[in-house]
């Protein structure tokens, strides 16, 4: 009987010691910190376009965003453009000229199915100021007439592109996009949009 009681006490003591060790081990684990903003995941970049001649276009489009993981990045962008288009007759004389300024912005998102390729979506809302000047009347006589128009127009750019790291977190990217909304006053018209840029975090 004494041996049975001794066995029971030893077994109970072992269980209590094991329970106490387990409890102590659990409570001494460091508490998990909630996920917070990581500055190293910031995305900063944009594109700069310069074309001069009878068709002049200056395009400055900065963007900023956040790389949530290896597959998704998103943020906001600003769109600022100036354009000047000259139309000439057979003899090289300028018959009319269109000047426009575009200012607006929106949001953007990218999905990277593989590290170097991405799908890009970018809804925008732009304010357009356009001035058209005619240098001749309907009979071919010199006469300057100017018309000015101001309006706002939405666009939805969809496309895909390629990005390549050039050192550290810096990369260059090339993208082809298209305005799928095709509003009649869209500054992109029915054209493909080619963009190249340098960014941090892409």
């Amino acid at each position: 009987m004494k041996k049975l009681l001794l066995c029971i006490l030893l077994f109970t003591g072992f269980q209590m010691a094991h329970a106490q060790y387990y409890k102590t081990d659990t409570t001494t684990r460091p508490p998990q910190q909630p996920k917070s903003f990581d500055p190293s995941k910031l995305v900063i970049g944009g594109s700069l376009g310069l074309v001069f001649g009878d068709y002049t276009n200056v395009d400055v489009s900065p963007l900023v965003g956040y790389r949530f993981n290896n597959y998704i990045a998103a943020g906001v962008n600003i769109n600022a453009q100036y354009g000047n288009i000259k139309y000439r007759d057979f003899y090289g004389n300028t018959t009319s000229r269109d000047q426009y300024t575009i200012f607006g912005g929106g949001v953007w998102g990218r999905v990277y199915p593989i590290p170097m390729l991405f799908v890009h979506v970018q809804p925008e809302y732009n304010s357009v100021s356009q001035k058209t000047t005619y240098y001749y009347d309907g009979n071919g006589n010199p006469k300057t007439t100017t018309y000015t128009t101001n309006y706002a127009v939405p666009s939805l750019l969809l496309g895909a592109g390629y990005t390549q790291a050039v050192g550290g977190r810096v990369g260059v990217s090339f993208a082809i996009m298209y305005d799928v909304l095709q509003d009649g006053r869209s500054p992109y018209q029915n054209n493909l949009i080619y963009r190249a840029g340098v960014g941090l975090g892409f």
Side-chain angles (χ1 to χ4, degrees), residues 25-52:
D25 182 62
T26 303
T27 56
T28 55
R29 292 179 183 175
Q32 292 185 351
Q33 297 295 327
K35 293 182 179 180
S36 59
F37 175 76
D38 184 355
S40 68
K41 294 184 178 180
L42 273 176
V43 173
I44 301 172
S47 61
L48 174 65
L50 298 171
V51 179
F52 297 102

Side-chain angles (χ1 to χ4, degrees), residues 47-80:
S47 61
L48 174 65
L50 298 171
V51 179
F52 297 102
D54 282 354
Y55 172 72
T56 297
N57 180 264
V58 179
D59 178 4
V60 180
S61 302
L63 59 81
V64 63
Y66 193 77
R67 189 74 179 259
F68 295 96
N69 52 47
N70 291 335
Y71 304 100
I72 298 175
V76 296
N77 69 286
I78 295 175
N79 186 25

Side-chain angles (χ1 to χ4, degrees), residues 3-175:
K3 289 183 179 181
L4 178 61
L5 288 174
L6 182 61
C7 288
I8 292 173
L9 288 174
L10 287 174
F11 181 75
T12 304
F14 174 76
Q15 289 289 90
M16 290 178 64
H18 182 266
Q20 182 180 7
Y21 170 78
Y22 180 77
K23 183 178 179 182
T24 304
D25 182 62
T26 303
T27 56
T28 55
R29 292 179 183 175
Q32 292 185 351
Q33 297 295 327
K35 293 182 179 180
S36 59
F37 175 76
D38 184 355
S40 68
K41 294 184 178 180
L42 273 176
V43 173
I44 301 172
S47 61
L48 174 65
L50 298 171
V51 179
F52 297 102
D54 282 354
Y55 172 72
T56 297
N57 180 264
V58 179
D59 178 4
V60 180
S61 302
L63 59 81
V64 63
Y66 193 77
R67 189 74 179 259
F68 295 96
N69 52 47
N70 291 335
Y71 304 100
I72 298 175
V76 296
N77 69 286
I78 295 175
N79 186 25
Q81 295 185 43
Y82 167 79
N84 186 348
I85 306 172
K86 294 180 180 179
Y87 302 93
R88 300 180 183 273
D89 62 16
F90 181 77
Y91 302 100
N93 300 313
T94 302
T95 58
S96 64
R97 180 175 68 170
D98 286 334
Q99 291 177 283
Y100 61 87
T101 57
I102 301 171
F103 186 78
V107 296
W108 61 270
R110 284 185 180 179
V111 176
Y112 295 79
I114 60 176
M116 293 183 295
L117 297 179
F118 60 85
V119 177
H120 188 97
V121 57
Q122 183 171 313
E124 290 184 348
Y125 195 75
N126 293 304
S127 175
V128 181
S129 178
Q130 182 174 342
K131 182 171 71 172
T132 301
T133 303
Y134 297 97
Y135 296 101
Y136 296 90
D137 63 15
N139 298 318
N141 300 312
K143 182 181 179 181
T144 300
T145 308
T146 301
Y147 301 93
T148 302
T149 306
N150 298 292
Y151 57 90
V153 59
S155 297
L156 177 57
L157 308 184
L158 290 180
Y162 171 82
T163 184
Q164 176 64 57
V166 294
R169 297 180 61 237
V170 178
V172 295
S173 63
F174 305 91

